[in-house]
Amino acid sequence: MTLVAGVDSSTQSCKVVIRDLETGALVRSGRASHPDGTEVDPAAWWRALNEAVEAAGGFDDVAAVSIAGQQHGMVVLDAEGRVIRDALLWNDTRSADAAAALTAEVTAEGYAQRAGLVPVASFTATKLRWLKDNEPENAARVAAVALPHDWLTWRLLGYGPAGESELGPVLEALVTDRSDASGTAYWSPFTNDYDYDLLERALGRRDVVLPRVLGPGEAAGKTPAGVLVGPGAGDNAGAALGLGAASGDVVVSLGTSGTVFAVADEPSADATGTVAGFADASGHFLPIVVTLNAARVLVSATTLLGVDFDGLSELALAAQPGSDGVVLVPYFEGERTPNLPTAKASFHGLSLASTTRENIARASIEGMLSGLGAGLDAVRDAGVEVGRVLLIGGAAQNPAVQAVAAQVFDAPVVVPEPGEYVADGGAVQAAWALTGARPSWEVSVSASPERDFRPEIAEQYHRYADALLK
């Protein structure tokens, strides 16, 4: 049996799956936690990767591996390959002013036409601009800029600071892929290359090493132990590969952030910034809408109501669709789409009669999904033909979430079996790099809730959410 491995280095943890090359069957897996926070020492990711690999039984019998990971995080290295400062993660909003400044300088239309997106605080370019403006001494030391999956792949290949790695600080050995590069705001899905003018506008200079962009299925090299290493991917592109997403499939992922994305044949350029025109990991494109507030909304609701997730589901299913007019605008941590980095969450429509535990439970789920429903509409407006919605993430298995999704999304909803689809996408990449062909592994479905579209849920949500934009 030939084995391949996939890695998901996410915000919260590192997951490793090891699968049979022939059938895709899961053989074993491992996991390790990441520290909390919006800035993290990348060394914590490296430790977690090694712990997760060990928990998965090691790579001694593994032929190939590929790492998918959280996008946008700014990893800056000096000339000796050392990390200059803790990485600023995608959910760090301190660069909101930098994003506004970059957009004003280039214009939203200019960015959309050149990079397929409009800067918000999540993207790497805005973090580099923040670094230049707020930590000029650190900015002056930058010799290379990498993303989380790029840096981990580099370390896995044996590179790193002198004394901490077998091959030393060869910055030119850094590699990435189209999907992750497209989330930097200085790479173009139209030219398939870096835009160094945009990089210079962000960092103030262009004389830095950027990772070489590998094509789908292209190998990055081998580990010192001889394991083939695939190109890696951004987490959403990895999930699309793991799910086998094809034209007509829109993936809605309920994780720390919420995402709506689809595989498309052509790049998109949305000057409103609602849809980011990313590339995918298969040679196509991945128009995507991202919200900062997803599954954590439900965590807050369970804490508020003093119940577990099953209890939240029972309460929500006991309320009527629309929650008797109660609406939660769930911008607990600010919001990325719409671009409201300093916003807070708010309840609306509360009366003495409607303020019940059941309505609050249901409004929490409706609010979370309505923000993503707006994302589905935006992806459709970008030209995507929506055949079905694939609902993934731990919260997708909640019965109330499934029922409300069938009422909020104007498309059939399918819930795949729980799985580590980002890590699975890494395993697909590993198999692709090993054999030269993308594998086709079956994905099982756990639920297909009956379609029950209720447009009034979105209408009352937007009555309050849209007011924040005025």
Side-chain angles (χ1 to χ4, degrees):
M1 178 189 298
T2 302
L3 300 180
V4 293
V7 177
D8 172 15
S9 183
S10 72
T11 312
Q12 302 106 326
S13 63
C14 181
K15 284 86 68 177
V16 173
V17 299
I18 297 175
R19 294 190 171 273
D20 172 40
L21 173 66
E22 182 77 20
T23 66
L26 181 65
V27 176
R28 56 186 193 264
S29 63
R31 182 187 184 102
S33 295
H34 285 162
D36 293 331
T38 63
E39 57 178 323
V40 173
D41 182 351
W45 302 333
W46 179 239
R47 288 193 298 270
L49 174 59
N50 283 283
E51 290 170 9
V53 169
E54 183 177 358
F59 283 171
D60 287 348
D61 55 350
V62 169
V65 60
S66 196
I67 301 174
Q70 55 178 305
Q71 290 193 260
H72 315 311
M74 180 192 73
V75 182
V76 284
L77 306 176
D78 66 15
E80 300 301 318
R82 300 190 185 281
V83 175
I84 294 170
R85 68 159 344 268
D86 287 354
L88 297 184
L89 306 190
W90 62 272
N91 55 353
D92 192 300
T93 59
R94 75 185 70 181
S95 60
D97 289 344
L102 287 169
T103 303
E105 293 167 13
V106 180
T107 75
E109 182 68 30
Y111 259 109
Q113 293 299 324
R114 293 171 65 175
L117 48 79
V118 178
V120 294
S122 301
F123 298 144
T124 318
T126 72
K127 301 177 190 307
L128 290 174
R129 181 62 168 265
W130 180 90
L131 187 74
K132 178 178 78 73
D133 292 343
N134 292 273
E135 298 179 359
E137 291 183 0
N138 281 337
R141 294 174 56 202
V142 175
V145 182
L147 301 169
H149 114 252
D150 311 342
W151 184 81
L152 284 169
T153 298
W154 188 63
R155 294 304 310 270
L156 193 64
L157 288 168
Y159 300 101
E164 299 178 21
S165 60
E166 295 191 37
L167 301 179
V170 183
L171 299 180
E172 291 74 17
L174 284 162
V175 295
T176 190
D177 86 305
R178 298 170 67 252
S179 69
D180 226 0
S182 66
T184 61
Y186 49 79
W187 184 88
S188 172
F190 307 103
T191 66
N192 214 41
D193 201 358
Y194 289 112
D195 187 323
Y196 281 91
D197 290 337
L198 293 181
L199 172 69
E200 184 174 10
R201 190 170 292 277
L203 185 59
R205 36 191 271 262
R206 61 175 69 196
D207 60 335
V208 297
V209 174
L210 298 178
R212 182 168 58 92
V213 181
L214 301 178
E218 185 177 353
K222 291 185 177 183
T223 71
V227 180
L228 188 73
V229 179
D235 48 5
N236 295 298
L241 281 180
L243 287 163
S247 178
D249 289 337
V250 177
V251 180
V252 175
S253 177
L254 305 177
T256 303
S257 62
T259 55
V260 181
F261 56 90
V263 177
D265 294 330
E266 300 293 333
S268 59
D270 178 9
T272 71
T274 303
V275 178
F278 291 176
D280 80 342
S282 70
H284 298 284
F285 301 91
L286 201 80
I288 186 170
V289 176
V290 180
T291 66
L292 287 181
N293 300 278
R296 289 182 297 180
V297 175
L298 305 188
V299 174
S300 295
T302 60
T303 302
L304 175 66
L305 296 169
V307 295
D308 59 14
F309 289 107
D310 289 338
L312 184 73
S313 182
E314 292 175 7
L315 287 171
L317 291 173
Q320 293 298 311
S323 308
D324 289 336
V326 177
V327 173
L328 172 64
V329 180
Y331 301 162
F332 286 95
E333 301 292 336
E335 191 45 86
R336 168 170 163 172
T337 308
N339 186 22
L340 297 168
T342 62
K344 302 298 180 187
S346 54
F347 274 103
H348 302 268
L350 294 169
S351 67
L352 291 176
S354 67
T355 305
T356 66
R357 299 173 78 241
E358 291 80 5
N359 284 335
I360 288 173
R362 188 178 188 96
S364 299
I365 297 173
E366 290 180 343
M368 176 187 71
L369 291 175
S370 290
L372 293 164
L376 178 64
D377 292 339
V379 167
R380 185 182 279 118
D381 290 343
V384 173
E385 293 287 338
V386 181
R388 61 176 182 167
V389 170
L390 298 173
L391 191 65
I392 65 172
Q397 300 303 315
N398 186 292
V401 171
Q402 294 176 4
V404 173
Q407 296 172 340
V408 170
F409 300 138
D410 185 15
V413 174
V414 174
V415 183
E417 289 284 355
E420 298 293 351
Y421 288 107
V422 176
D424 289 344
V428 168
Q429 284 191 312
W432 196 343
L434 185 65
T435 67
R438 179 179 174 177
S440 297
W441 296 334
E442 183 178 354
V443 176
S444 300
V445 172
S446 67
S448 298
E450 183 176 352
R451 193 172 181 182
D452 186 23
F453 182 52
R454 306 290 185 99
E456 62 270 20
I457 296 175
E459 289 168 4
Q460 69 178 17
Y461 173 84
H462 286 291
R463 188 179 310 135
Y464 299 106
D466 293 351
L468 297 176
L469 296 171
K470 297 179 180 177

